[in-house]
Amino acid sequence: FRSLRPRTDRAVVGRAAKQALEASGYYRRRLRRLAFPGAVTFCYHGLLDGVGESVPFGDLHVTRDVFDGHCRLIAETCDPLSLSDLQAVLAGERAMPPRPIVITFDDGYASVLELALPVLERYGLPAAVFVCTEPVAHGRPFWFDAVARQDGEEAVRVARAAAPDVWRARAGEAVQGDDAPGAHRPMCLPELQRLAESPLVTIGAHTLNHPTLARLSEAEARIEIGESRAWLEQALHRPVTTFAYPYGLPTQDYSAATVGVVRDLGFRLAFSTVPGFATASTPA
């Protein structure tokens, strides 16, 4: 996931205000008059089946109805891009459309297949899914969700900032015996393969275990990133050329050395959570 923001009353009020504006048609009218200075990435994680469903880091997950509203708005007012489209635009091989939007999902939740894909298909929207591979390969929960279910979200922040051996021990302990509810679990391999069969979906790498890459040595980062891609390529029988940095902020979450590893491994695009628009001058 790209951020760890706690729920607040202010956030709830803001969400309600946005929903009211969307219902009034404000966003459609405003968007149709705009031209973006670059591409915008919408970073999702998982979807919820209904309002009131409680999951760790709930602000990173939207309901199916909310996602449907987002997709309808994008389809009606913007210019959705696949990752190959984005690569062509950033390379100057095609013109930047007025309102380019890239839809992405981090981690690899089963809800992307079960709940999000039907919505994407309804509106014909492309999306990228960046997969953390060890939970998918071994049928175990994402460590951060397991820790949060046991000890709260603050315990995740502490664990991911710890030394690598401490983080690994804490994460390994948490996933033993933890059961993720419903679609709030990692996909299994057959589900990932079904998702990858969709012509709308591009699969990217997101490390083996979702560490804070800035805390790892260059050799450890190379294993996390490179072996994640290798597993995906073997499982899906296709090249994987894109990557998303876990958590996503430079310096605190990934380092210049991490960027060097990603480039050395030959990825064509890498996604962070730095706010802004992606243009031809944005580092790949």
Side-chain angles (χ1 to χ4, degrees), residues 32-79:
R32 289 189 179 111
R33 296 195 296 266
L34 293 178
F36 300 165
V40 176
T41 299
F42 281 24
C43 175
Y44 297 95
H45 291 76
L47 264 61
L48 306 175
D49 207 11
V51 177
E53 186 177 348
S54 179
V55 297
F57 304 104
D59 280 355
L60 299 179
H61 303 266
V62 299
T63 67
R64 175 168 41 189
D65 289 345
V66 167
F67 183 66
D68 188 285
H70 291 178
C71 288
R72 183 172 65 252
L73 182 67
I74 291 169
E76 292 175 355
T77 64
C78 297
D79 301 289

Side-chain angles (χ1 to χ4, degrees), residues 27-238:
Y27 290 127
R28 285 170 176 77
R29 295 191 298 272
R30 179 75 184 274
L31 278 169
R32 289 189 179 111
R33 296 195 296 266
L34 293 178
F36 300 165
V40 176
T41 299
F42 281 24
C43 175
Y44 297 95
H45 291 76
L47 264 61
L48 306 175
D49 207 11
V51 177
E53 186 177 348
S54 179
V55 297
F57 304 104
D59 280 355
L60 299 179
H61 303 266
V62 299
T63 67
R64 175 168 41 189
D65 289 345
V66 167
F67 183 66
D68 188 285
H70 291 178
C71 288
R72 183 172 65 252
L73 182 67
I74 291 169
E76 292 175 355
T77 64
C78 297
D79 301 289
L81 301 178
S82 67
L83 291 195
S84 59
D85 293 333
L86 178 62
Q87 289 172 355
V89 166
L90 296 181
E93 297 168 359
R94 58 174 285 185
M96 182 81 75
R99 291 173 291 279
I101 297 287
V102 179
I103 297 172
T104 71
F105 292 86
D106 279 2
D107 302 332
Y109 286 96
S111 63
V112 178
L113 174 67
E114 296 179 8
L115 303 179
L117 182 60
V119 178
L120 295 170
E121 292 175 334
R122 183 177 305 130
Y123 296 102
L125 298 180
V129 182
F130 296 102
V131 178
C132 182
T133 53
E134 283 292 279
V136 174
H138 299 289
R140 62 191 186 213
F142 296 115
W143 75 266
F144 40 84
D145 286 338
V147 169
R149 277 189 286 270
Q150 291 178 14
D151 297 316
E153 295 177 7
E154 181 58 31
V156 176
R157 298 182 180 90
V158 172
R160 76 179 191 88
D165 57 339
V166 175
W167 159 69
R168 290 189 187 94
R170 182 68 182 90
E173 175 186 87
V175 301
Q176 297 300 318
D178 181 86
D179 292 318
H184 192 73
R185 58 172 175 81
M187 286 179 281
C188 63
L189 176 55
E191 289 171 328
L192 175 61
Q193 290 169 328
R194 283 170 48 202
L195 180 68
E197 288 172 358
S198 170
L200 294 173
V201 174
T202 302
I203 303 297
H206 198 44
T207 71
L208 294 170
N209 298 292
H210 210 290
T212 302
L213 289 167
R215 302 289 295 167
L216 304 186
S217 68
E218 185 173 333
E220 290 171 322
R222 185 174 295 273
I223 291 170
E224 281 281 343
I225 298 165
E227 292 191 6
S228 171
R229 180 177 67 178
W231 187 90
L232 288 169
E233 290 182 335
Q234 182 177 23
L236 303 177
H237 308 292
R238 68 191 67 183

